[in-house]
Amino acid sequence: MNPTLPHFFWNEYRKRRKKAALITFAIFWGTLSILLLMAFGQGMSIQSRVSFSGLGETLIMITAGQASLPFEGLPKGRPIRLYREDITYLSERIPEILHIVPESYNNWQVSAIGKEVNRGVHGTTAEFALMRTQIPQMGGRFINADDNAQARKVAFIGWSVAKDLFGTEDPVGKQIVINRVPFTVIGVLKKKLQDSMYQGPDADQIYLPFSSFLMIDSQREIDRIHIQPQKPGQSLLVEERVRVLLGRKYRFDPTDRYAIGVWNTIEDFKEATAIFKGIEIFLGIIGALTLLIGAVGVTNLMYAVVKERTKEIGIKLAIGARRRVIIQQFILETMFIFAKGTFWGFIAAFNIVHLTRLAPVNYDSFGIEAYLLRPVFSLQIFVAYVVIVGVLVFLSGIFPAWRASRSNPIESLRYE
């Protein structure tokens, strides 16, 4: 590059500082808008996966139902129940099952240190924690195999239950009374996002060892069977085999979708992921159109600058300036403005994203703010943006620069 070029560039840039500031602001605003658009879009996609995993990502839930079709001489309308023996029955006949656990439920009065509330109480086994994202807070644990084997009077409680009964005190090791039976709290559920649920959010629930639950509620029927396949891709196969096997055992048509309830969270998660991926793509298309409009705007502005400086370009060419010097000067101005606008757009977007993430999420009343308040600033997206916009801006500047370099000095000097 010509050693005098930076000097020429800086002098010309200072002469047109106001116009350069307008172009810089346009690039700054475009950078800020696109980066925020992509950050909030990616944040919503990630938060959807996080909140969905609050229920369980690789889970199939089976519930009792009612036959809606006659079968082998039996009328429709028959209730179909689930029993404890079904756990062993299904696990022995479906090798694709990784974990299978029962869940029974009742709503009882729960009291501790003079306070009393009505809460959902569940009986289940140790694998339930893995399948349903039951992560204990520091200092506590979930139900384990020994708790079930020995029918221990222990309880794992939601954080909302802990707050209602114990306030700010640590409930681990303290006693609660459920249906007039004392239980020792062994853990409190860690706060989590959960937008899918049944019988209320996990924060309001209490979990007991299945054997201990049966001691205060001895019904043979169970409310729900949780199944985790060996592989997520086997979910539909497992679902179909469950229908066939239970249909054979309880004599209902396997194609009867009302005989038993099946909630396949794996397939639901695929659909939700596809929806949010579509939102990301849509936002990306809007960003791409914004980039294209911005590039056209830069091109028009640079053409206006060339037109304004026609006489100056003619003088430079007349006194012997080479065409490549004219091109380099315009490209250097374009790229400098681009770098300046992009830098400040990046700084503004980065700070807005991180300030937004400082806002607390209310886990007790999960809403749309949990999606909007967790944007994700991706360095990969910024690098891709710089590369794409850099190329567009370069192309936006090269054509006006090439046109300026091809000017006829005589005609340029006559230009008014």
Side-chain angles (χ1 to χ4, degrees), residues 282-320:
F282 174 72
L283 293 177
I285 291 173
I286 293 176
L289 293 175
T290 305
L291 289 178
L292 185 60
I293 293 170
V296 172
V298 172
T299 303
N300 289 334
L301 286 170
M302 293 309 296
Y303 270 122
V305 170
V306 170
K307 190 174 182 181
E308 179 186 311
R309 294 163 63 181
T310 299
K311 187 170 289 188
E312 172 197 323
I313 293 167
I315 294 171
K316 288 179 179 179
L317 291 172
I319 62 177

Side-chain angles (χ1 to χ4, degrees), residues 390-408:
V391 171
L392 289 175
V393 170
F394 176 79
L395 294 176
S396 300
I398 191 67
F399 291 111
W402 181 82
R403 180 180 178 181
S405 70
R406 305 297 297 176
S407 301
N408 186 310

Side-chain angles (χ1 to χ4, degrees), residues 5-233:
L5 185 58
H7 177 72
F8 287 153
F9 153 71
W10 187 246
N11 285 339
E12 296 299 333
Y13 179 79
R14 291 179 65 184
K15 291 177 185 176
R16 294 164 179 82
R17 187 175 296 174
K18 289 185 179 180
K19 289 188 177 180
L22 290 174
I23 303 174
T24 302
F25 180 78
I27 295 175
F28 158 79
W29 189 254
T31 302
L32 176 64
S33 302
I34 292 170
L35 291 182
L36 288 182
L37 196 68
M38 300 307 294
F40 278 91
Q42 191 172 16
M44 288 179 64
S45 182
I46 292 173
Q47 285 299 95
S48 72
R49 292 193 289 270
V50 171
S51 61
F52 199 92
S53 67
L55 175 69
E57 296 178 64
T58 55
L59 186 64
I60 301 172
M61 287 180 277
I62 313 298
T63 54
Q66 187 178 57
S68 63
L69 301 173
F71 185 72
E72 294 182 350
L74 296 172
K76 64 180 181 179
R78 294 176 295 117
I80 307 298
R81 306 297 185 210
L82 301 175
Y83 298 90
R84 307 170 210 166
E85 298 80 17
D86 295 332
I87 302 298
T88 304
Y89 176 76
L90 293 174
S91 63
E92 289 177 347
R93 290 164 175 79
I94 307 178
E96 290 82 11
I97 290 179
L98 177 62
H99 296 301
I100 180 169
V101 301
E103 183 185 14
S104 288
Y105 170 84
N106 214 323
N107 191 277
W108 284 318
Q109 284 189 340
V110 182
S111 60
I113 57 174
K115 297 179 181 178
E116 190 173 274
V117 294
N118 281 324
R119 288 292 182 268
V121 181
H122 306 250
T124 188
T125 59
E127 293 83 2
F128 184 87
L130 298 173
M131 302 166 70
R132 287 275 284 100
T133 325
Q134 301 289 314
I135 302 173
Q137 295 179 12
M138 291 289 290
R141 65 175 179 84
F142 193 73
I143 300 159
N144 61 30
D146 290 337
D147 294 331
N148 255 306
Q150 300 173 29
R152 293 172 179 166
K153 300 296 191 299
V154 294
F156 181 82
I157 64 177
W159 74 82
S160 182
V161 177
K163 180 181 177 182
D164 292 341
L165 292 177
F166 298 97
T168 57
E169 293 183 33
D170 183 4
V172 176
K174 294 183 172 63
Q175 280 199 337
I176 59 175
V177 178
I178 303 173
N179 199 26
R180 298 184 297 277
V181 178
F183 286 81
T184 301
V185 177
I186 57 172
V188 179
L189 178 66
K190 184 179 179 180
K191 291 187 177 183
K192 63 178 180 178
L193 295 178
Q194 181 185 4
D195 61 357
S196 296
M197 62 193 73
Y198 56 90
Q199 293 163 336
D202 291 352
D204 293 327
Q205 311 303 314
I206 298 173
Y207 300 92
L208 309 179
F210 190 68
S211 56
S212 303
F213 182 92
L214 295 178
M215 294 177 70
I216 54 177
D217 189 337
S218 58
Q219 61 180 347
R220 288 188 61 247
E221 298 173 9
I222 58 177
D223 293 282
R224 194 170 278 102
I225 295 174
H226 298 268
I227 297 174
Q228 184 178 28
Q230 296 276 357
K231 300 177 182 177

Side-chain angles (χ1 to χ4, degrees), residues 66-70 76 78 80 243 252-260:
Q66 187 178 57
S68 63
L69 301 173
K76 64 180 181 179
R78 294 176 295 117
I80 307 298
R243 291 185 184 276
F252 64 81
D253 190 336
T255 63
D256 186 350
R257 298 297 166 179
Y258 296 96
I260 57 171

